[in-house]
Amino acid sequence: MATSLGANTYNRQNWEDADFPILCQTCLGENPYIRMTKEKYGKECKICARPFTVFRWCPGTRMRFKKTEACQTCSKIKNVCQTCLLDLEYGLPIQVRDTGLSIKDDVPKSDVNKEYYTQNMEREIGNSDGTRPVGLLGKAPSSSDMLLKLARTTPYYKRNRPHICSFWVKGECKRGEECPYRHEKPTDPDDPLADQNIKDRYYGINDPVADKLLKRASTMPRLDTPEDKSITTLYVGGLGDSITDSELRNHFYQFGEIRTTTIVQRQQCAFIQFATRQAAELAAEKSFNKLIINGRRLNVKWGRSQGEGGRRDGRGGKDGRGEGLTEMGLKLEPVPGLPGALPPLPVDEDAPTNYFNLGPNSAPPVMNISLPPPPGVAMPPPPGFGPPMFHSMDPMGMPPPMGMRPPGHVHYPSQDPQRMGAHASRHGGS
């Protein structure tokens, strides 16, 4: 220990004696009825090395026993759990929380400076009401979008499971199902999460869990504010057919005066133009990845200026998209090797349009041009030069069929001389 019980020093007067620990819901367990053992000055704090009251309990069935690792003073300075040293509000490592709130850690690590800093913080904690954190954390903003997205909303009781049985890993465990430890394959020793240090977690340095969460936060989509201060328009996509203009105004009017609201039904998007840039920035911050209307999550982005390809609504063109831009506003690379656009034909209003030199009243000639026959087929002779194809009457006295009669000759049955009752004089006189 840092100081023996018999030593009459200032540190002896500041040993901690608490009645109940400061724990998160995960470490406390899901069982509302638990038994705790309390040992005054049982161990020294792993952060400030001062003796403190240690609590020990079992969070649930088939769970391992847990105990407090840091004193309550160190816990209140960072607003963390005494056992897992994770933030009490978000359930995240200290490094992630300080990064989200833009806080720089100022806790000293040397022995003398650490004792002086702890004494000042105890005095500040005693003067506060205990409802808010102290130090830089109490002066930080209340929330952060990154922390709200990464925060765990429900307890993670799986963290209280027993450790892996080392005898089972070596194949020597003889307890079987009665073994209080887990019979599972251990994690890879080369995995960064396998090397965690309680002091590094408290000071927010070299924390593998925090590095994993920060990498996840860096890949999350974010909305960058454009540098052009004249842009006051927001693009809202994914409207569907049920969201109306009044519903959009009911949401965005709370951020400032709205100048115009334009809905492009074909593209299922809308453009909200604010009167001031400050109102547009506030609406973009509060609505990005958070806007839900009629059960639909809407996509909110910044518009584009007129110089970036179109109207002030941000997308350009009549349908809300600029040239070379997709519906999401991504710029497409030009395809090499494609021919350019052809120049338009010159239009002269005074030039005549009579391209064939025809008279004003002359009708266009009609020409009947026959195509040559295919190869191997004999071409028929011109009319009047070939042999007759049929006779007017066959030997049997039957008239030729209609399709085989010469042109200009029509056969009437009453004029047939072979018909019974026909008279030659009658036909001759007719």
Side-chain angles (χ1 to χ4, degrees):
M1 294 184 181
T3 309
S4 62
L5 282 174
N8 188 11
T9 61
Y10 179 81
N11 288 334
R12 175 68 180 84
Q13 298 175 4
N14 288 313
W15 286 6
E16 182 183 281
D17 184 10
D19 295 329
F20 196 83
I22 302 175
L23 302 174
C24 62
Q25 183 64 34
T26 300
C27 293
L28 193 59
E30 55 184 341
N31 186 7
Y33 306 102
I34 59 175
R35 292 181 178 180
M36 280 188 178
T37 61
K38 175 182 175 182
E39 182 181 4
K40 287 187 177 182
Y41 320 129
K43 286 184 176 296
E44 66 179 17
C45 175
K46 293 187 177 180
I47 306 300
C48 63
R50 296 186 306 167
F52 74 106
T53 303
V54 179
F55 296 88
R56 189 172 182 268
W57 73 99
C58 181
T61 308
R62 302 293 297 177
M63 300 292 180
R64 74 175 187 271
F65 276 81
K66 308 190 75 172
K67 60 183 178 64
T68 53
E69 306 290 347
C71 65
Q72 291 197 3
T73 301
C74 295
S75 173
K76 293 177 181 178
I77 292 174
K78 292 284 189 176
N79 192 34
V80 295
C81 172
Q82 283 188 261
T83 301
C84 62
L85 298 187
L86 296 180
D87 185 74
L88 293 174
E89 184 176 357
Y90 302 103
L92 298 173
I94 297 176
Q95 184 177 353
V96 178
R97 183 201 63 191
D98 292 351
T99 303
L101 299 178
S102 301
I103 299 176
K104 186 177 180 181
D105 182 31
D106 60 345
V107 178
K109 300 177 178 59
S110 62
D111 293 339
V112 177
N113 292 336
K114 189 189 308 180
E115 292 179 2
Y116 178 75
Y117 178 82
T118 303
Q119 293 173 11
N120 293 335
M121 294 306 299
E122 284 183 339
R123 188 181 303 109
E124 185 176 350
I125 292 172
N127 296 331
S128 64
D129 56 356
T131 58
R132 287 185 54 82
V134 295
L136 294 177
L137 186 60
K139 303 176 183 178
S142 58
S143 63
S144 171
D145 291 340
M146 184 190 75
L147 299 181
L148 293 176
K149 295 174 183 177
L150 296 177
R152 185 180 294 276
T153 57
T154 57
Y156 186 63
Y157 297 121
K158 198 174 181 180
R159 200 170 62 208
N160 299 333
R161 294 181 303 171
H163 296 294
I164 294 177
C165 180
S166 59
F167 290 91
W168 181 85
V169 173
K170 295 183 292 184
E172 300 177 357
C173 183
K174 300 179 181 180
R175 296 184 179 183
E177 297 181 356
E178 297 179 356
C179 182
Y181 298 96
R182 284 187 295 157
H183 288 181
E184 297 179 5
K185 181 181 179 180
T187 58
D188 187 5
D190 297 333
D191 187 4
L193 297 178
D195 185 15
Q196 301 184 26
N197 189 289
I198 191 170
K199 286 190 175 181
D200 291 343
R201 173 170 292 181
Y202 184 82
Y203 292 118
I205 55 174
N206 301 328
D207 190 354
V209 180
D211 294 339
K212 179 181 178 180
L213 293 175
L214 291 176
K215 288 180 180 179
R216 183 189 303 175
S218 62
T219 58
M220 297 174 65
R222 62 180 183 179
L223 186 62
D224 296 329
T225 304
E227 298 179 358
D228 189 357
K229 298 298 182 180
S230 63
I231 300 177
T232 59
T233 304
L234 296 182
Y235 165 83
V236 183
L239 297 182
D241 300 330
S242 59
I243 299 179
T244 61
D245 179 86
S246 60
E247 292 174 339
L248 291 175
R249 285 181 173 271
N250 291 339
H251 171 76
F252 285 103
Y253 86 95
Q254 59 181 320
F255 306 113
E257 181 183 355
I258 298 177
R259 182 172 298 171
T260 58
T261 302
T262 305
I263 296 181
V264 184
Q265 196 63 39
R266 185 177 65 175
Q267 301 293 335
Q268 294 187 352
C269 63
F271 301 96
I272 313 297
Q273 185 179 13
F274 288 88
T276 61
R277 175 59 179 261
Q278 183 179 3
E281 292 181 358
L282 181 61
E285 179 184 357
K286 299 296 183 181
S287 303
F288 180 66
N289 280 348
K290 303 175 186 176
L291 179 56
I292 300 177
I293 299 178
N294 292 342
R296 295 179 63 93
R297 181 178 294 274
L298 305 183
N299 185 18
V300 179
K301 291 186 177 182
W302 279 98
R304 296 181 184 273
S305 62
Q306 294 182 354
E308 296 183 6
R311 307 175 305 181
R312 184 167 293 182
D313 54 23
R315 313 301 274 180
K318 296 182 180 180
D319 58 349
R321 285 181 292 176
E323 183 178 359
L325 299 176
T326 62
E327 295 182 358
M328 301 302 295
L330 301 178
K331 187 176 181 180
L332 301 178
E333 296 294 335
V335 179
L338 293 180
L342 295 177
L345 294 176
V347 179
D348 189 1
E349 298 180 355
D350 299 334
T353 58
N354 188 5
Y355 301 106
F356 299 99
N357 297 324
L358 300 177
N361 298 326
S362 60
V366 179
M367 301 179 64
N368 187 10
I369 302 176
S370 61
L371 297 177
V377 178
M379 187 174 182
F385 292 92
M389 299 179 61
F390 48 82
H391 299 280
S392 60
M393 298 293 293
D394 60 353
M396 299 300 293
M398 297 296 294
M402 294 295 295
M404 300 297 293
R405 296 172 187 173
H409 178 76
V410 181
H411 174 75
Y412 295 97
S414 59
Q415 299 177 358
D416 190 358
Q418 303 296 330
R419 188 177 65 86
M420 184 179 295
H423 299 281
S425 60
R426 181 182 303 177
H427 292 282
S430 60

